[in-house]
Amino acid sequence: RHIEVNSNADTAYDTAFDYAVRMGWGYWRVITDYVREDSFDQEIFIEPIDNPFSVYFDPNSVSPDGSDAEKCLVTTMVAKDKFRQMYPDADDGVGFLPRATGDDTAEWITKEDIRVAEYFYIEHTTDTLYLFPANQTAFKGSQQDKMFRAMGLLPVRERQVDRKKVKWCKTNGFEVLEERDWAGEWIPVVRVIGNEFQVDGRIFISGIVRNAKDAQRMYNYWTSQEAEMLALAPKAPFIGYGGQFEGYEFQWKTANTQNWPYLEVNPDVTDGQGAVL
């Protein structure tokens, strides 16, 4: 609760949920930061991700929250002046092409900005886990293992385990700017999914308004047609032959402002028949 209140986490949750409702998916993330500029203590914060298209998530992840992801890329555009201030020895775009391989829309460099990407990935190592008396466990070669053996305890069981370590690095698409281990078991980017279904082995994701698109398009079409017909309609409300309104001009001119019991016209019988309005 302290982390959520300190981070105003409702904003992150609502942002991710709003994108999930509208387009099918959204994200929020967990970060750590120093509490003060004169301290080495860090706290955990929950932050929103304002642009879901800036996140390149593990395509093999099947868990709704993305907890089984093995890799994730989070990108952001940084002004070149700020980038040079942050990384004075880094390449600001002179030495590589401005576009990413296979993605013509993901510009790494513009005239004023440069893209910086955070890359999370998981490294797997095989280790041996010992079970000591009193149901105590320790990994092979760890301090606990050495302590138990120094106490004269021997393992009663052992098994091979897959240990995960989350790694983090920051890159500008050409070189690694920073890298370190992430102090956690999972990649700290949480996925929020809308409607998810599988068809012929392919996963489709949609928002709540997806099925309303065709109906909305039809409504927009007929509304546009109605507006077009009204715009093209003649302004004169009545049509008649020449001389038909003679003597009754006042009634016809005020027909739209006064409630006349009836309106009269002079008949036109030049063709042998009376004209009908």
Side-chain angles (χ1 to χ4, degrees):
R1 289 183 179 180
H2 168 74
I3 294 172
E4 291 183 317
V5 172
N6 200 30
S7 307
N8 193 19
D10 284 345
T11 301
Y13 301 154
D14 292 345
T15 301
F17 182 75
D18 179 62
Y19 276 114
V21 169
R22 287 194 290 162
M23 53 180 275
W25 72 93
Y27 302 96
W28 55 272
R29 63 180 301 182
V30 179
I31 67 168
T32 59
D33 198 4
Y34 294 104
V35 295
R36 296 186 311 275
E37 62 181 11
D38 60 346
S39 174
F40 285 94
D41 297 331
Q42 296 188 54
E43 285 191 354
I44 300 173
F45 297 92
I46 296 173
E47 280 196 346
I49 294 180
D50 297 327
N51 180 12
F53 293 103
S54 67
V55 179
Y56 298 82
F57 211 73
D58 186 354
N60 297 316
S61 172
V62 296
S63 177
D65 59 359
S67 57
D68 60 343
E70 295 281 318
K71 54 189 175 182
C72 179
L73 196 72
V74 182
T75 68
T76 183
M77 297 299 291
V78 179
K80 287 187 176 180
D81 292 341
K82 184 177 180 180
F83 178 81
R84 296 188 189 101
Q85 182 180 357
M86 295 168 58
Y87 307 103
D89 298 327
D91 193 323
D92 61 356
V94 177
F96 61 101
L97 296 176
R99 294 188 181 275
T101 302
D103 191 349
D104 291 337
T105 62
E107 293 185 340
W108 281 92
I109 303 172
T110 65
K111 183 177 180 180
E112 299 177 351
D113 302 317
I114 183 169
R115 186 180 299 275
V116 175
E118 296 179 72
Y119 181 49
F120 294 92
Y121 61 99
I122 292 179
E123 284 188 350
H124 294 266
T125 57
T126 302
D127 205 344
T128 302
L129 180 67
Y130 291 134
L131 176 65
F132 288 91
N135 202 33
Q136 301 180 93
T137 60
F139 287 104
K140 181 180 180 180
S142 64
Q143 292 294 331
Q144 292 87 350
D145 179 26
K146 295 176 182 179
M147 181 183 67
F148 291 149
R149 293 178 184 274
M151 295 169 58
L153 300 176
L154 295 177
V156 295
R157 292 180 61 186
E158 68 177 67
R159 69 182 182 92
Q160 299 296 310
V161 297
D162 178 41
R163 302 189 67 181
K164 297 193 307 180
K165 180 178 290 186
V166 181
K167 312 286 285 187
W168 173 89
C169 69
K170 184 178 284 189
T171 177
N172 59 358
F174 181 68
E175 58 187 333
V176 175
L177 306 172
E178 301 178 60
E179 58 181 336
R180 62 175 178 267
D181 293 340
W182 170 258
E185 186 177 351
W186 300 280
I187 291 176
V189 177
V190 181
R191 181 173 55 185
V192 180
I193 289 293
N195 297 322
E196 184 178 19
F197 50 93
Q198 189 174 127
V199 178
D200 296 332
R202 296 183 60 187
I203 295 178
F204 293 85
I205 299 173
S206 68
I208 197 172
V209 298
R210 179 67 175 269
N211 295 329
K213 289 174 64 177
D214 290 337
Q216 183 65 43
R217 286 169 178 162
M218 185 60 68
Y219 174 79
N220 293 343
Y221 171 77
W222 286 115
T223 302
S224 299
Q225 286 292 101
E226 182 181 15
E228 183 179 3
M229 292 176 63
L230 291 174
L232 296 177
K235 293 184 178 181
F238 307 110
I239 301 175
Y241 294 105
Q244 282 190 289
F245 301 114
E246 185 176 352
Y248 306 104
E249 291 88 348
F250 179 75
Q251 285 87 345
W252 283 96
K253 289 180 179 179
T254 58
N256 62 333
T257 59
Q258 295 187 33
N259 188 20
W260 295 97
Y262 57 88
L263 296 173
E264 290 184 290
V265 296
N266 297 312
D268 182 6
V269 293
T270 56
D271 58 355
Q273 296 181 353
V276 179
L277 293 174

